[in-house]
Amino acid sequence: MGRLQAVFERFYALRIWQQACIVTLGAAVGADALTLILYSIFFSDRLMLDLILTAVITVFVAYPISYVFLSKTATVAKLATELDKAATTDYLTELCNRRNFMQQAGAFIGEADASAGVVLFIDVDHFKLINDRFGHAEGDRVLVLVAEAIRQSVRVDDICARIGGEEFAVFMPGADLPLARTVSERIALSCRLVGCAAHPEELSTTVSIGVAMHRPEQSLDEVVREADFLLYRAKRGGRDQVMYRAPHEVVA
């Protein structure tokens, strides 16, 4: 089954006209094979002519039909891929959307016997002022740049998402608090540089970050609420900082 699946994947990776040619060739070979069997029994004197006619007729009929059919199939497959991407990806930043983030992080937490990892909640400071001063188009550009700064700051297997507005989240599977703090500081630094690159000395793109380590008894909703709470502590504490709860502060 795996080998057959690989054959189909290679077939659908071809151009439509190449797929149609293969289907037409298969139809012609099949039709000629059937003609050969029947005519060798009943009409052997006309075998060669009928083999040629059968092949020609099959090519003229099968190629346009297979081309149209395969074109429609490719269109449907493309639409299905786009719909799947739209359902799981944030349209602006191309990070995961909230739903996809919760599903992926939830899968890790649901399978974990110990700590599943760390959740980071990230919020762009004073984002409304950016929109008001530079316009929403520039605000969107800042979000794209911040998203890329986050993506470049985390590990390959970490799950990054835009969960709404100017808020982002990262789930770091298997990470501990020191690693999460290091990554958070890297994100904060990279986001500061976004503002410098966009409008030197004019645009501030600092972020506040709440860091919550998952504990074995916690659900995903609980660790997300904790990260969100720590994020708002960071914002109330002056913004542009990483807020986390030290292990001795956590009540088991």
Side-chain angles (χ1 to χ4, degrees):
M1 183 63 71
R3 188 171 298 178
L4 183 62
Q5 181 66 27
V7 170
F8 278 118
E9 288 177 357
R10 293 182 64 181
F11 174 77
Y12 286 116
L14 299 173
R15 297 179 184 274
I16 297 297
W17 69 266
Q18 293 173 320
Q19 295 179 23
C21 284
I22 292 174
V23 171
T24 302
L25 178 62
V29 170
D32 272 349
L34 185 59
T35 300
L36 179 63
I37 294 171
L38 295 176
Y39 275 66
S40 62
I41 299 173
F42 301 106
F43 311 103
S44 58
D45 55 327
R46 306 189 318 187
L47 179 59
M48 186 55 65
L49 175 61
D50 285 332
L51 282 174
I52 295 173
L53 289 175
T54 300
V56 171
I57 293 171
T58 303
V59 167
F60 275 97
V61 173
Y63 183 82
I65 292 176
S66 61
Y67 187 90
V68 171
F69 176 77
L70 290 166
S71 296
K72 297 299 183 183
T73 302
T75 300
V76 170
K78 182 180 179 181
L79 287 173
T81 300
E82 290 175 353
L83 286 172
D84 181 65
K85 182 178 180 180
T88 59
T89 307
D90 175 62
Y91 75 97
L92 180 65
T93 63
E94 296 191 350
L95 298 180
C96 296
N97 60 19
R98 184 185 185 92
R99 177 184 177 187
N100 191 14
F101 175 81
M102 297 298 283
Q103 287 178 339
Q104 291 194 60
F108 277 103
I109 288 177
E111 296 172 358
D113 295 325
S115 175
V118 180
V119 172
L120 314 181
F121 256 39
I122 305 160
D123 186 90
V124 182
D125 296 328
H126 301 297
F127 185 72
K128 185 178 183 301
L129 295 180
I130 296 175
N131 278 335
D132 291 345
R133 182 176 181 185
F134 298 100
H136 285 83
E138 186 65 16
D140 285 348
R141 192 170 81 92
V142 166
L143 291 177
V144 171
L145 292 173
V146 167
E148 186 59 27
I150 293 171
R151 190 177 2 235
Q152 295 295 328
S153 300
V154 302
R155 304 172 302 175
V156 174
D157 295 331
D158 292 338
I159 303 165
C160 303
R162 180 187 176 206
I163 57 174
E166 68 274 21
E167 291 188 334
F168 299 84
V170 178
F171 180 71
M172 303 177 62
D176 57 14
L177 189 58
L179 175 59
R181 289 172 55 191
T182 299
V183 170
S184 297
E185 294 294 350
R186 189 185 304 148
I187 290 172
L189 176 59
S190 297
C191 289
R192 291 187 199 107
L193 296 177
V194 165
C196 295
H199 289 275
E201 300 181 3
E202 293 185 12
L203 178 60
S204 171
T205 53
T206 63
V207 295
S208 300
I209 304 176
V211 181
M213 186 169 180
H214 170 252
R215 299 189 299 279
E217 72 277 7
Q218 280 185 311
S219 67
L220 175 59
D221 287 340
E222 289 170 335
V223 70
V224 163
R225 282 198 298 269
E226 184 176 337
D228 194 36
F229 170 76
L230 291 168
L231 165 65
Y232 280 96
R233 275 184 58 183
K235 296 182 79 68
R236 288 194 299 268
R239 296 181 170 84
D240 189 20
Q241 60 182 301
V242 177
M243 186 68 66
Y244 59 94
R245 185 168 286 165
H248 68 271
E249 296 181 86
V250 176
V251 179

